[in-house]
Amino acid sequence: MSKFWSDALNSLQPYVPGEQPKTSNIIKLNTNENPYPPSPKVIEALDHFPMEKLRLYPDPDGSVLKEALSHYFELPMDHVFVGNGSDEVLAHAFMAFFRQKKPLLMPAMTYSFYDVYCNLYNIEAEHIPLTDDFCIDLSQYHQDNGGIIFANPNAPTGIAVSLGEIEELLQRNTNTLVLVDEAYVDFGAESACSLIGKYSNLLVVQTLSKSRSLAGMRIGFALGHPDLIAGLERVKNSFNSYPLDMLALASATAAIEDTSYFAQTVQQIISDRNWTTEQLKSLGFEVLPSSTNFVFARHRTAAGDDLMTYLRHENILVRHFTKPGIENYLRISIGTREEMQTLITALEGYAHI
Amino acid sequence: MSKFWSDALNSLQPYVPGEQPKTSNIIKLNTNENPYPPSPKVIEALDHFPMEKLRLYPDPDGSVLKEALSHYFELPMDHVFVGNGSDEVLAHAFMAFFRQKKPLLMPAMTYSFYDVYCNLYNIEAEHIPLTDDFCIDLSQYHQDNGGIIFANPNAPTGIAVSLGEIEELLQRNTNTLVLVDEAYVDFGAESACSLIGKYSNLLVVQTLSKSRSLAGMRIGFALGHPDLIAGLERVKNSFNSYPLDMLALASATAAIEDTSYFAQTVQQIISDRNWTTEQLKSLGFEVLPSSTNFVFARHRTAAGDDLMTYLRHENILVRHFTKPGIENYLRISIGTREEMQTLITALEGYAHI
């Protein structure tokens, strides 16, 4: 803190991302990265990129990527917005749409960056409790509001709501924006994209960091009615004209176009998630039903922080949250089958199991 | 506009960047890009980057780049902040430091994004006129203020203030932040970096888009007292944990480290700027004294928009602003000597010259 800080800066509560260790002899199951490299088409696009062009500014509109997304999602180009990771896209959406007189509704347990954005942009939030079995119950989102946001599947629980539940919400809630954050949707939930043509207040946000193995390149996007996209463009053009660099655009475009590699790697992760779930259950863990590339699980007797510390000594990183109610849960990303086998073997060796 | 937009969104006035044409048979002198490719060391770093690593999140702190900048500027690492282009760095600085009760002081003619940020973050600005010969007179910045920002050299004029003038301002103005935007400083002005140890309210912002030929990769940085850097980190971590992707970090680090390529290309541009200035003068142009990689010039008789349109027909893009007082000026980026020769030949062919 310093006398040059604005008052608002003093009150910010920044997000704390998962650890990115600098050593490589570690099994990293703490930030939900994809265990597989980006598509060979991505590597090829980067290998063939004319690097001398980097002296020029990139296309401020990111048209090449918007075209690929437009084609993939069968939506016109004016329904697509792209940004420097889905966090930037979410931040712009909060600024564009959620600074309202009424509170923003969100789950009491969800991606913790939402509260950070509320704090950043001075947005009042109302937190709707999850059900006792950690589900989002959208029928509870009926209060007067300045917008609604939830992650589907939700994090850190991994549990999804159905498309029918989302459509019921949209039918009821017509006057404010509904933002569905689909960071993990490709691993087993139903995307709300199919409802975009019917509901002009629906904004869907996705990322290439998880199912497209491109966390290192920072690419996210939003899909919705052109009026919503125009609102996001307005914030973007008041903040940074060129959020996506040339290599991010090239790699993202190739990743979206390679649908078969995408399908194959996603399928492998789903299969290994199901295998891991069964193994954990047989070791005495309760595992929430996951539609993501991670599982959220607690052991019947062992404490969450003890397990995390033990695994760390075994060179396996998992994520642990101290929030009351989930303090005994671990969030474990799905790695390769070999990595998950190593995890299970390590847990078998834990004295209390 | 839409009923889902917040009131604040309706009142935004976005920045309009220079055109990025999609055809390649054009001489592009409109966005102050460097005519030379990035350093061979940059290309090498990208060629050797282990692309399979892109599945992982980048280092959220960008430490490798901070280290290179720390070494280059002989400042401790906690004096360095990095961001997704200097526009993002500037945006974060406006949010962190300039939301004050008193107005921000800035030149009446300068980088037009400053006014956009004021609008975005609801900051009152007071615009201090330039002198009759388009100079920033820092002795005029004596009002009570919530901060001071100026570009040095200034844009679109290209004119620099001296280090002595900046130090006098810092000696007088000790209670609020002074931000010096040095996007073009390497082309002939004195950097204020040398004053950072003495003045804890000085923040210097630079970019790799101009003198380091990396506009396509979006890298900017700020240098200042650790308290100021901590303030920027706080905003960044409330907005986007990972603003710089892995390839941006790798290319930027290599660019900063290759000091000899940097010196050689900058020297060539300065030499071609001086040549271009002489040629323009001999064609009847008034050319402001530039310390940048562009010149700001008007012809004695020909109108600015006519000249711009004529050059466009000749496949040469230059930038023209309609702002009263400079409506007859063209901002012309310095390309290669060959490109500048083509420009001069085209201007010789213009009927009115």
Side-chain angles (χ1 to χ4, degrees):
Chain A
M1 142 147 216
S2 128
K3 71 170 178 173
F4 304 114
W5 289 23
S6 69
D7 293 342
L9 180 59
N10 284 320
S11 70
L12 287 187
Q13 302 284 347
Y15 177 77
V16 180
E19 187 185 350
Q20 297 296 332
K22 275 156 192 165
T23 54
S24 57
N25 61 337
I26 251 171
I27 296 184
K28 203 172 164 306
L29 307 176
N30 68 326
T31 54
N32 300 339
E33 287 141 336
N34 198 307
Y36 303 106
S39 149
K41 297 280 169 59
V42 170
I43 314 288
E44 200 183 311
L46 290 169
D47 280 350
H48 291 94
F49 192 89
M51 297 295 180
E52 71 280 1
K53 274 203 174 175
L54 297 179
R55 70 177 185 87
L56 298 171
Y57 281 96
D59 172 13
D61 291 323
S63 306
V64 61
L65 175 56
K66 283 184 182 168
E67 263 174 55
L69 290 166
S70 160
H71 185 255
Y72 181 84
F73 287 99
E74 297 177 353
L75 287 167
M77 269 190 58
D78 61 2
H79 284 57
V80 186
F81 176 81
V82 296
N84 183 36
S86 62
D87 285 342
E88 183 179 87
V89 176
L90 289 168
H92 286 346
F94 273 68
M95 176 168 258
F97 307 119
F98 292 152
R99 289 183 299 168
Q100 305 287 355
K101 289 180 193 76
K102 293 171 189 165
L104 174 67
L105 307 186
M106 68 169 86
M109 191 186 300
T110 188
Y111 185 33
S112 59
F113 226 133
Y114 302 159
D115 278 323
V116 175
Y117 295 134
C118 286
N119 196 233
L120 185 67
Y121 297 129
N122 203 19
I123 294 163
E124 193 197 338
E126 190 172 329
H127 299 91
I128 316 287
L130 299 186
T131 63
D132 289 345
D133 52 357
F134 292 106
C135 292
I136 293 175
D137 178 359
L138 291 178
S139 74
Q140 299 300 310
Y141 290 64
H142 46 59
Q143 302 89 319
D144 234 20
N145 64 73
I148 295 175
I149 185 170
F150 58 94
N152 188 44
N154 196 19
T157 63
I159 300 174
V161 295
S162 73
L163 195 58
E165 292 169 276
I166 295 175
E167 184 155 19
E168 271 174 37
L169 174 73
L170 287 162
Q171 280 164 350
R172 230 173 30 240
N173 192 88
T174 54
N175 285 321
T176 64
L177 189 86
V178 175
L179 195 163
V180 187
D181 176 357
E182 298 189 336
Y184 299 102
V185 75
D186 295 321
F187 299 105
E190 297 167 287
S191 173
C193 284
S194 58
L195 301 175
I196 284 172
K198 266 171 94 177
Y199 301 95
S200 65
N201 62 331
L202 169 63
L203 191 70
V204 173
V205 172
Q206 294 194 8
T207 173
L208 276 74
S209 297
K210 316 290 184 184
S211 56
R212 261 85 180 188
S213 301
L214 276 176
M217 288 309 283
R218 322 299 307 118
I219 308 123
F221 59 92
L223 305 168
H225 187 281
D227 283 349
L228 303 183
I229 302 304
L232 290 172
E233 296 287 359
R234 213 173 158 87
V235 174
K236 172 247 174 194
N237 287 320
S238 298
F239 180 82
N240 185 354
S241 308
Y242 313 92
L244 283 170
D245 66 54
M246 286 183 172
L247 299 182
L249 288 170
S251 57
T253 304
I256 292 295
E257 286 171 351
D258 191 352
T259 51
S260 69
Y261 182 83
F262 164 72
Q264 177 201 325
T265 46
V266 162
Q267 204 43 60
Q268 185 62 51
I269 289 164
I270 291 173
S271 151
D272 292 332
R273 175 188 73 211
N274 296 343
W275 180 86
T276 304
T277 300
E278 291 316 307
Q279 297 294 313
L280 287 171
K281 282 181 176 169
S282 74
L283 289 177
F285 279 87
E286 291 168 36
V287 187
L288 300 190
S290 172
S291 300
T292 64
N293 68 336
F294 59 84
V295 289
F296 199 54
R298 69 169 167 188
H299 192 259
R300 235 184 285 114
T301 55
D305 52 354
D306 289 346
L307 277 171
M308 183 195 64
T309 306
Y310 166 75
L311 288 172
R312 203 188 167 88
H313 283 296
E314 299 287 311
N315 285 326
I316 301 173
L317 289 189
V318 299
R319 191 112 197 233
H320 173 251
F321 301 90
T322 52
K323 191 170 175 153
I326 57 168
E327 68 273 25
N328 280 325
Y329 280 83
L330 299 179
R331 196 194 68 186
I332 305 170
S333 310
I334 304 300
T336 61
R337 175 66 71 97
E338 195 189 346
E339 288 172 327
M340 301 326 281
Q341 182 63 70
T342 306
L343 169 82
I344 296 299
T345 306
L347 287 173
E348 281 167 353
Y350 185 66
H352 297 269
I353 283 183
Chain B
M1 135 147 220
S2 133
K3 71 170 175 170
F4 306 112
W5 289 22
S6 67
D7 293 342
L9 180 59
N10 284 320
S11 69
L12 287 187
Q13 303 284 346
Y15 178 77
V16 180
E19 186 185 350
Q20 297 295 333
K22 275 157 192 166
T23 54
S24 59
N25 62 337
I26 251 171
I27 296 183
K28 201 170 166 304
L29 307 177
N30 68 327
T31 52
N32 300 339
E33 287 141 335
N34 198 308
Y36 302 106
S39 149
K41 297 280 170 59
V42 170
I43 314 287
E44 200 183 310
L46 290 169
D47 281 349
H48 291 93
F49 191 88
M51 296 296 180
E52 71 281 0
K53 274 205 176 174
L54 297 179
R55 70 178 185 85
L56 299 170
Y57 282 97
D59 172 12
D61 290 323
S63 306
V64 60
L65 175 56
K66 283 184 182 170
E67 261 174 56
L69 290 165
S70 160
H71 184 254
Y72 181 83
F73 287 100
E74 300 178 351
L75 287 167
M77 268 187 63
D78 62 2
H79 285 58
V80 185
F81 176 80
V82 296
N84 184 34
S86 63
D87 285 343
E88 181 179 88
V89 176
L90 289 168
H92 287 346
F94 273 68
M95 175 167 259
F97 308 119
F98 293 152
R99 290 184 298 171
Q100 306 286 355
K101 291 181 190 76
K102 294 171 189 166
L104 174 67
L105 306 186
M106 69 169 84
M109 189 184 302
T110 188
Y111 185 32
S112 59
F113 226 134
Y114 303 159
D115 277 323
V116 175
Y117 295 133
C118 285
N119 197 234
L120 184 68
Y121 297 129
N122 202 20
I123 295 163
E124 192 198 337
E126 190 171 330
H127 299 91
I128 316 288
L130 297 186
T131 64
D132 289 345
D133 51 357
F134 293 104
C135 293
I136 293 176
D137 178 359
L138 290 179
S139 74
Q140 298 300 311
Y141 291 63
H142 45 60
Q143 303 89 319
D144 234 19
N145 64 73
I148 296 175
I149 186 170
F150 58 94
N152 187 43
N154 197 19
T157 61
I159 301 175
V161 294
S162 72
L163 195 59
E165 290 169 276
I166 295 175
E167 184 155 18
E168 270 174 38
L169 173 72
L170 287 163
Q171 281 165 347
R172 229 173 33 239
N173 191 89
T174 54
N175 286 321
T176 65
L177 190 87
V178 175
L179 195 163
V180 187
D181 178 356
E182 297 188 339
Y184 298 103
V185 75
D186 294 321
F187 299 106
E190 297 167 286
S191 172
C193 283
S194 59
L195 301 175
I196 283 173
K198 263 171 96 176
Y199 300 95
S200 65
N201 63 330
L202 168 64
L203 191 70
V204 173
V205 172
Q206 293 194 8
T207 174
L208 277 72
S209 296
K210 314 293 182 184
S211 56
R212 260 85 180 191
S213 299
L214 275 176
M217 287 309 283
R218 322 299 307 118
I219 307 123
F221 59 92
L223 305 168
H225 187 281
D227 283 349
L228 304 183
I229 301 305
L232 290 172
E233 296 288 358
R234 212 172 159 88
V235 174
K236 171 249 174 194
N237 287 321
S238 298
F239 180 82
N240 186 354
S241 308
Y242 312 92
L244 282 170
D245 67 53
M246 286 182 174
L247 299 182
L249 288 171
S251 56
T253 304
I256 293 295
E257 286 171 351
D258 192 351
T259 50
S260 70
Y261 182 83
F262 163 73
Q264 176 201 327
T265 47
V266 162
Q267 203 44 58
Q268 185 62 50
I269 289 164
I270 291 172
S271 151
D272 292 333
R273 175 188 75 212
N274 296 342
W275 180 85
T276 304
T277 300
E278 290 316 306
Q279 298 294 315
L280 287 171
K281 283 181 176 170
S282 74
L283 289 176
F285 281 85
E286 292 169 35
V287 187
L288 300 190
S290 172
S291 300
T292 65
N293 68 336
F294 60 84
V295 290
F296 199 55
R298 69 170 168 189
H299 191 258
R300 235 183 286 113
T301 55
D305 52 354
D306 291 346
L307 277 172
M308 182 195 63
T309 307
Y310 165 76
L311 288 172
R312 203 187 166 88
H313 284 295
E314 300 287 311
N315 286 325
I316 300 172
L317 289 190
V318 299
R319 190 112 198 233
H320 173 249
F321 302 89
T322 53
K323 190 170 176 154
I326 57 168
E327 69 273 24
N328 280 325
Y329 280 83
L330 300 178
R331 196 195 66 184
I332 306 170
S333 309
I334 303 302
T336 60
R337 175 66 72 96
E338 194 187 348
E339 288 173 327
M340 301 325 283
Q341 181 63 69
T342 306
L343 168 84
I344 296 298
T345 306
L347 286 173
E348 281 167 352
Y350 186 67
H352 297 268
I353 283 185

